[in-house]
Amino acid sequence: MSDSSGKLKLGALVALVVGSMIGGGIFSLPQNMAASAGVGAVLIGWAITAVGMLTLAFVFQTLANRKPDLDGGVYAYAKAGFGDYMGFSSAWGYWISAWLGNVGYFVLLFSTLGYFFPVFGEGNTPAAIIGASLLLWAVHFLVLRGIKEAAFINLVTTVAKVVPLVLFALICLFAFKLDIFTADIWGRGTPELGSVMNQVRNMMLVTVWVFIGIEGASIFSSRAEKRADVGKATVIGFVTVLLFLVLVNVLSLGIMTQPELAKLQNPSMAAVLEHVVGHWGAVLISVGLIISLLGALLSWVLLCAEIMFAAAKDHTMPAFLRRENANQVPANALWLTNAMVQVFLVITLFSSSTYLSLIYLATSMILVPYLWSAAYAFLLALRSETYEQALAERKKDLIIGAIALLYAIWLLYAGGVKYLLLSALLYAPGAILFAKAKREVGQPIFTNVEKLIFAAVVIGALVAAYGLYDGFLTL
């Protein structure tokens, strides 16, 4: 899928988007959604998510085309629009989110293997952590051999993981029962779900977890064969994944009732298919999930290293992260990333309770980079920058940018104050690397506005630290 110069073609870029978006989330979707919403709220939530996420996909497409000189996606847009510290924070937040997500993938992978080999338990037993660590370093050395080779393997696993999803959709389409689907549309029979508005808010948080990765192609923009392919890959990848997610979610609601689905163990897709075709259905989905997680792990290891490397290339991160090996892989960024994953794998051994909340935290870390990207696209259209000869396009992009921005703000609200404070705790220490990068180029560390922003982050971090100590905040 790549030509001799090592550049990524459209197919490889689409696979990166689909591969990083379809990880483990979709396989747990029937239970996750049913636990927070009834049929009606699920449909409303998907409609809002489709519009919101589509505008975000368009934002990444527009920015890739209008600002072809900006490499590194989410991080570069924040820097161009809002200064060095915001750019750095975007790269830092994105990076933390990505490797925390990988820790989650390892735990989920080994808990799925636990279905076949009980020694792995819930994915956080000593045997599981040893297995995960061995796999982590195997992936690490595979990526060190070259981005192009790793992108090709990602393409193969992406195709392999889509097969069980297609089978699931086809089988469930024939087993779908309208009377089950329409039995309790607004979730009135389950009062603990709360009002429809509440149900929509809760289920939409789940939809964000499954869409992370939509920006995958824009992060690799500098390695794309054609710039225009970056935007195309983003939109094609988004539409493909949206279709799968809605089918898996909606068809399940016509096979088992909402209370039945809410009680399932994850990966709940396995139990839904087992309900229709018997035991082999559960085995098929479990194998699909294992392949899917292996592919997603590879995508995210690539993304982690690439974002640090891109930020170091233009002096937003320290110079040591710029070093590439003979295969043009950002080696130091890769070592730093996987060392962090290893540390957190060991932590999950001692505190299994914090693992899931860390995954939610990982997602709230990514909302900030999304917010800056949407704000930057909106600003470009507002100022008519790059729109001198395209007034009709400017109006369209202004509306898309505004919707994407409102959606990003709404997501922060839906995530809640707790995760905002905990994010500040992870954002604050990044300033050490930022200061080092600024010293290397002999510039003052913060502008006056950035000093205020940094002060706010530090205050948030202190409140979070005290909250964890005092117990009014928990992980």
Side-chain angles (χ1 to χ4, degrees):
M1 290 311 293
S2 312
D3 66 358
S4 55
S5 67
K7 292 288 191 182
L8 301 173
K9 291 195 172 178
L10 181 64
L13 288 168
V14 171
L16 266 166
V17 177
V18 174
S20 47
M21 281 163 91
I22 297 184
I26 190 168
F27 292 88
S28 307
L29 203 59
Q31 184 277 333
N32 290 352
M33 289 300 195
S36 48
V39 173
V42 162
L43 296 176
I44 295 170
W46 275 121
I48 299 172
T49 301
V51 173
M53 276 292 173
L54 185 62
T55 56
L56 261 180
F58 282 142
V59 157
F60 289 121
Q61 183 179 33
T62 304
L63 290 174
N65 295 339
R66 296 218 157 260
K67 287 283 180 183
D69 51 320
L70 295 179
D71 288 327
V74 283
Y75 128 79
Y77 304 141
K79 180 177 175 172
F82 308 98
D84 289 356
Y85 181 57
M86 293 289 56
F88 170 85
S89 296
S90 253
W92 177 252
Y94 190 86
W95 177 70
I96 289 180
S97 168
W99 63 253
L100 269 179
N102 264 356
V103 177
Y105 279 159
F106 276 116
V107 174
L108 184 58
L109 175 64
F110 279 87
S111 84
T112 308
L113 284 169
Y115 179 85
F116 303 103
F117 310 104
V119 68
F120 294 133
E122 290 290 301
N124 49 14
T125 60
I129 301 304
I130 291 166
S133 302
L134 289 171
L135 183 60
L136 167 70
W137 295 105
V139 170
H140 175 85
F141 288 108
L142 171 72
V143 174
L144 280 177
R145 295 185 57 179
I147 299 265
K148 192 178 79 175
E149 287 72 13
F152 174 71
I153 293 170
N154 177 55
L155 182 71
V156 175
T157 56
T158 300
V159 172
K161 70 172 92 164
V162 165
V163 172
L165 295 178
V166 172
L167 277 172
F168 177 89
L170 287 173
I171 293 168
C172 290
L173 202 58
F174 289 106
F176 185 85
K177 292 193 173 63
L178 198 61
D179 53 333
I180 294 179
F181 187 72
T182 54
D184 180 14
I185 289 210
W186 301 113
R188 303 255 192 278
T190 322
E192 64 268 21
L193 289 178
S195 68
V196 173
M197 178 63 196
N198 238 8
Q199 292 178 43
V200 171
R201 184 184 150 180
N202 293 338
M203 72 76 72
M204 279 187 67
L205 274 180
V206 182
T207 63
V208 184
W209 315 150
V210 289
F211 272 122
I212 290 181
I214 188 172
E215 67 303 306
S218 68
I219 304 255
F220 282 91
S221 51
S222 66
R223 297 183 193 265
E225 191 182 48
K226 291 197 204 107
R227 286 304 293 220
D229 285 352
V230 173
K232 275 187 210 151
T234 303
V235 176
I236 294 170
F238 167 76
V239 173
T240 309
V241 174
L242 177 68
L243 192 68
F244 276 125
L245 290 167
V246 174
L247 276 174
V248 165
N249 191 190
V250 171
L251 290 173
S252 303
L253 287 162
I255 304 254
M256 296 165 86
T257 63
Q258 177 265 327
E260 283 174 337
L261 286 171
K263 288 195 194 79
L264 293 179
Q265 255 193 315
N266 281 317
S268 48
M269 258 178 83
V272 174
L273 199 57
E274 187 168 29
H275 185 80
V276 181
V277 298
H279 181 64
W280 71 264
V283 175
L284 173 79
I285 297 298
S286 296
V287 172
L289 174 58
I290 290 165
I291 293 170
S292 183
L293 285 168
L294 288 170
L297 270 170
L298 190 59
S299 285
W300 281 104
V301 168
L302 291 172
L303 286 168
C304 283
E306 193 68 21
I307 193 94
M308 291 302 254
F309 172 69
K313 240 180 6 183
D314 68 2
H315 310 292
T316 308
M317 289 273 179
F320 77 90
L321 291 167
R322 231 178 13 244
R323 197 182 77 72
E324 289 184 291
N325 68 8
N327 302 323
Q328 284 159 351
V329 176
N332 285 354
L334 198 64
W335 281 102
L336 179 66
T337 299
N338 290 335
M340 293 305 294
V341 174
Q342 182 66 70
V343 168
F344 268 74
L345 276 174
V346 175
I347 290 174
T348 57
L349 197 60
F350 300 107
S351 61
S352 52
S353 61
T354 64
Y355 146 69
L356 257 181
S357 35
L358 280 170
I359 296 311
Y360 285 133
L361 182 54
T363 306
S364 59
M365 292 291 289
I366 214 165
L367 296 181
V368 176
Y370 282 177
L371 177 75
W372 292 128
S373 296
Y376 183 53
F378 179 65
L379 260 179
L380 282 186
L382 198 62
R383 295 188 196 135
S384 287
E385 199 180 316
T386 73
Y387 287 94
E388 290 74 16
Q389 271 76 47
L391 287 175
E393 261 182 64
R394 176 181 167 250
K395 274 186 190 155
K396 178 189 71 147
D397 288 350
L398 195 62
I399 294 166
I400 287 173
I403 295 171
L405 186 57
L406 286 171
Y407 179 64
I409 293 167
W410 196 89
L411 288 177
L412 280 173
Y413 155 75
V417 177
K418 169 187 166 179
Y419 286 115
L420 217 52
L421 287 171
L422 290 170
S423 298
L425 193 57
L426 288 173
Y427 272 111
I432 300 165
L433 281 181
F434 182 65
K436 183 170 164 34
K438 283 293 195 184
R439 288 238 171 81
E440 285 172 358
V441 289
Q443 289 175 350
I445 298 174
F446 292 119
T447 62
N448 289 334
V449 177
E450 287 172 348
K451 280 178 189 159
L452 291 173
I453 295 168
F454 180 61
V457 171
V458 170
I459 292 165
L462 290 171
V463 172
Y466 178 71
L468 289 172
Y469 165 75
D470 189 53
F472 70 79
L473 271 186
T474 52
L475 260 178

